[in-house]
C-alpha cells in the first residue's frame, strides 16, 4: 500500500508525522498523523489510537493535545485518524457541523448516498490498522483506544465491540448515548436509516445493555462542559454499567469545559492509564 508523507518533525526524540493514503473503504484520500517515540532499532511498540470529535481533523489533537512528551517517555505510538471522508464528490451538508464532513461518527453508513464513502468504523478498525502495521514499528497485539466527544463515543463503542483487539479504552467527554442526544440522533438516522435497532451497534449504553463488555473504561468529564446535560449525559453510562457489572471509572472535573484546555490537562492521566495496560 502506498503511503505519502506530508510532513515529519522531530519531537521529544521521536518523530511526529502526517501522512496520506488512498482508502479503499472511504474511496477518498485519507490523512492521518502518527507520533513514533524514540526506540531501539527493531523494537515493536504499543499503539494508542486517538479519535477526534465533531468538526475536527488529525490536526486538533496533534497541535493542542500535548501528548508527545509523555508518549515519548512511555514508548507509545499515537495514531490520530481523520473524522470523516473528505472531497468534492463526497456527499455533505456544508452548513451542518453535526453531519457529513468532520462528522463521520465512526459508523459504517448503510443509507444512500452516504454508504459509498462514510465507512469510518471499518476504516478505523480494519483498513488504517493494516496501514499502521505495514509502515510503522507497531505491536498490533498491544493496542489502546481513546477519543474526545464524538471520538469518545467512537473509542468506547469500538472497544466494547472489539475487546480482543484492544487492551485499554478511555474517553474525554464522550457522547455516551448518541441514539438520544440531539447532536447525534439526526446523524445516525441519515447514516443508518430510520430503524433505530440499527443504531444499537454504535451506542455504548445500548451495547452494554445488549451484553458487550470491556475489562474497564476510563472517562473524564468537565463539569463546566456546555454539552454536559444535553449531549454527553455520562450518568446514563454510569447507570447502564452499574446494572450490567461493567467497570467504569468516571472522573468529574470541576470547572473544566469541552475544549482542548480540558483534554490537554488530563492527557497525561490517560496516557499512563493506557501504558500500564499495554505493557508487554
Amino acid at each position: 500500500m502506498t503511503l505519502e508523507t506530508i510532513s515529519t518533525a522531530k519531537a521529544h526524540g521521536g518523530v511526529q508525522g502526517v501522512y496520506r493514503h488512498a482508502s479503499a473503504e472511504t474511496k477518498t484520500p485519507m490523512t492521518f498523523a502518527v507520533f513514533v517515540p524514540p526506540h531501539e532499532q527493531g523494537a515493536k511498540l504499543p499503539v494508542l489510537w486517538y479519535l477526534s470529535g465533531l468538526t475536527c481533523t488529525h490536526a486538533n489533537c496533534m497541535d493542542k493535545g500535548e501528548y508527545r512528551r509523555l508518549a515519548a517517555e512511555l514508548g507509545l505510538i499515537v495514531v490520530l485518524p481523520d473524522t470523516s471522508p473528505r472531497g468534492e464528490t463526497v456527499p455533505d451538508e456544508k452548513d451542518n457541523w453535526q453531519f457529513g464532513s468532520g462528522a463521520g461518527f465512526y459508523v459504517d453508513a448503510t443509507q444512500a448516498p452516504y454508504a459509498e464513502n462514510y465507512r469510518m468504523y471499518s476504516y478505523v478498525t480494519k483498513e488504517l490498522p493494516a496501514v499502521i502495521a505495514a509502515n510503522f514499528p507497531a505491536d498490533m497485539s498491544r493496542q489502546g483506544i481513546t477519543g474526545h466527544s464524538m471520538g469518545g463515543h467512537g473509542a468506547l463503542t469500538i472497544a466494547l465491540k472489539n475487546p480482543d483487539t484492544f487492551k485499554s479504552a478511555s474517553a474525554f467527554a464522550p457522547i455516551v448515548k448518541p441514539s438520544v442526544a440531539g447532536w447525534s440522533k439526526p446523524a445516525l438516522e441519515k447514516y443508518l436509516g430510520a430503524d433505530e435497532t440499527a443504531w444499537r451497534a454504535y451506542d455504548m449504553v445500548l451495547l452494554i445493555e445488549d451484553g458487550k463488555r470491556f475489562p474497564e473504561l476510563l472517562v473524564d468529564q468537565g463539569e463546566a462542559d456546555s454539552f454536559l446535560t444535553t449531549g454527553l449525559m455520562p450518568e446514563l453510562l454510569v447507570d447502564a454499567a452499574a446494572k450490567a457489572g461493567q467497570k467504569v471509572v468516571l472522573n468529574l472535573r470541576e470547572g473544566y469545559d469541552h475544549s482542548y484546555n480540558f483534554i490537554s490537562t488530563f492527557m497525561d492521566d490517560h496516557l499512563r492509564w493506557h501504558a500500564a495496560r499495554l505493557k508487554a
Side-chain angles (χ1 to χ4, degrees):
M1 53 190 73
T2 302
L3 189 65
E4 176 188 357
T5 299
I6 297 174
S7 68
T8 59
K10 189 169 182 177
H12 298 281
V15 176
Q16 176 65 71
V18 179
Y19 308 92
R20 182 164 48 223
H21 73 117
S23 169
E25 288 289 350
T26 69
K27 298 177 176 58
T28 65
M30 293 294 290
T31 301
F32 63 96
V34 180
F35 175 71
V36 178
H39 60 282
E40 295 183 359
Q41 186 173 2
K44 292 289 187 179
L45 308 175
V47 178
L48 178 61
W49 295 82
Y50 179 94
L51 306 185
S52 292
L54 285 164
T55 75
C56 292
T57 70
H58 67 279
N60 295 76
C61 186
M62 186 179 75
D63 293 343
K64 298 181 286 189
E66 299 183 17
Y67 57 85
R68 280 175 287 268
R69 178 193 57 80
L70 189 57
E73 179 183 321
L74 297 172
L76 292 174
I77 292 175
V78 181
V79 181
L80 300 89
D82 202 348
T83 53
S84 75
R86 299 176 190 271
E88 291 300 319
T89 63
V90 177
D92 189 17
E93 294 182 4
K94 295 186 183 300
D95 295 328
N96 183 359
W97 64 275
Q98 298 173 342
F99 183 77
S101 182
F105 278 94
Y106 304 100
V107 306
D108 281 349
T110 59
Q111 304 301 299
Y114 310 109
E116 180 77 5
N117 305 110
Y118 287 87
R119 295 187 51 80
M120 291 304 296
Y121 178 83
S122 288
Y123 176 72
V124 167
T125 62
K126 297 176 183 177
E127 185 175 19
L128 189 53
V131 173
I132 299 301
N135 292 278
F136 299 93
D139 181 354
M140 304 305 283
S141 71
R142 292 187 289 157
Q143 296 185 73
I145 191 165
T146 187
H148 171 231
S149 195
M150 178 186 72
H153 135 78
L156 297 189
T157 55
I158 286 171
L160 284 164
K161 291 194 287 185
N162 298 277
D164 295 332
T165 300
F166 297 96
K167 295 185 179 298
S168 57
S170 72
F172 298 91
I175 305 171
V176 307
K177 198 170 184 181
S179 61
V180 300
W183 58 358
S184 48
K185 185 175 180 179
L188 293 186
E189 184 170 2
K190 292 173 185 175
Y191 287 137
L192 303 173
D195 182 0
E196 296 186 15
T197 59
W199 307 359
R200 299 186 74 89
Y202 300 104
D203 185 307
M204 73 184 76
V205 168
L206 299 180
L207 284 169
I208 291 170
E209 290 181 1
D210 290 345
K212 298 295 185 183
R213 298 289 182 271
F214 197 81
E216 50 191 342
L217 305 173
L218 170 65
V219 175
D220 269 79
Q221 173 63 62
E223 290 187 317
D225 192 319
S226 60
F227 302 110
L228 179 61
T229 58
T230 58
L232 304 174
M233 301 176 282
E235 69 278 1
L236 299 181
L237 173 60
V238 172
D239 290 346
K243 292 175 183 176
Q246 167 64 57
K247 185 175 181 180
V248 175
V249 177
L250 173 63
N251 298 315
L252 295 174
R253 304 297 190 177
E254 182 181 359
Y256 284 91
D257 60 17
H258 199 68
S259 73
Y260 269 87
N261 297 310
F262 158 62
I263 297 167
S264 62
T265 300
F266 301 103
M267 180 64 80
D268 281 6
D269 292 349
H270 285 245
L271 291 174
R272 291 192 176 96
W273 167 278
H274 289 279
R277 289 153 182 79
L278 297 176
K279 290 180 180 178

